[in-house]
């Protein structure tokens, strides 16, 4: 089952929840709340049952969501091997258009030599990848410029 998306705004900020109340409120399993606690969600105090202040829960969930959706800083692509944003080796990048206005950047991780990809809008390349040497590749589906040999065949009209 895919992880359910939790809506932090369901938590009332001025209310303290037990773990099971919190789980009910957010529609998650009680073990999920325990996981959050391990990941840094602080109860009000050490008295059991633990009570969680709504405002604390909310900011915990929001910061967690923000950190998961991390974007690469300018000038980097995300390297799957390093699990870190990395600069492309020698600043060399290929741009492969996917749509008219956007496509994928491809570069080599300067640390581990893995191929890295990053989707980007064509108009943003100069801003997001300052100082990089970006080579624009032709879209593989583009057939423009290829002469069609069959065009010349039917010029001879039969009498
Ligand atoms: Zn790497």
């Amino acid at each position: 089952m895919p992880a359910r998306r939790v809506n932090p705004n369901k938590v009332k900020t001025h209310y303290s929840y037990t773990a099971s109340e919190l789980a009910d409120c957010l529609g998650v399993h009680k073990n999920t709340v325990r996981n959050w606690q391990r990941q840094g969600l602080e109860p009000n105090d050490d008295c059991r049952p633990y009570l969680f202040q709504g405002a604390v829960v909310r900011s915990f969930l929001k910061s967690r969501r923000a950190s998961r959706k991390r974007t690469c800083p300018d000038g980097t692509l995300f390297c799957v091997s390093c699990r870190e944003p990395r600069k492309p080796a020698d600043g060399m990048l290929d741009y492969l258009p996917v749509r008219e206005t956007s496509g994928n950047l491809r570069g080599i991780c300067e640390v581990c030599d893995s191929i890295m990809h990053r989707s980007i809008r064509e108009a943003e390349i100069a801003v997001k990848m300052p100082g990089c040497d970006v080579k624009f590749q032709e879209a593989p589906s583009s057939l423009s410029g290829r002469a069609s040999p069959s065009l010349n065949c039917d010029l001879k009209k039969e009498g």
Side-chain angles (χ1 to χ4, degrees), residues 128-144:
K128 302 261 185 188
M129 296 291 155
C132 288
D133 182 9
V134 181
K135 283 207 182 66
F136 285 69
Q137 309 285 323
E138 282 212 23
S141 60
S142 166
L143 298 175
S144 59

Side-chain angles (χ1 to χ4, degrees), residues 15 25 64 86 93 104 114 120 126:
Y15 191 85
C25 170
R64 201 166 147 269
R86 295 291 191 200
L93 288 171
N104 288 316
S114 296
I120 197 164

Side-chain angles (χ1 to χ4, degrees), residues 3-27:
R4 213 177 302 182
R5 196 171 286 215
V6 173
N7 181 2
N9 295 325
K10 279 187 179 171
V11 181
K12 293 192 181 74
T13 50
H14 296 294
Y15 191 85
S16 285
Y17 296 82
T18 65
S20 56
E21 282 172 344
L22 193 57
D24 283 351
C25 170
L26 291 167

Side-chain angles (χ1 to χ4, degrees), residues 6-7 9 11 22 24 33 35 52 71 106 127 134 148 152:
V6 173
N7 181 2
N9 295 325
V11 181
L22 193 57
D24 283 351
V33 177
N35 267 337
F52 300 92
T71 51
R106 189 175 59 191
V127 183
V134 181
S148 175
N152 297 327

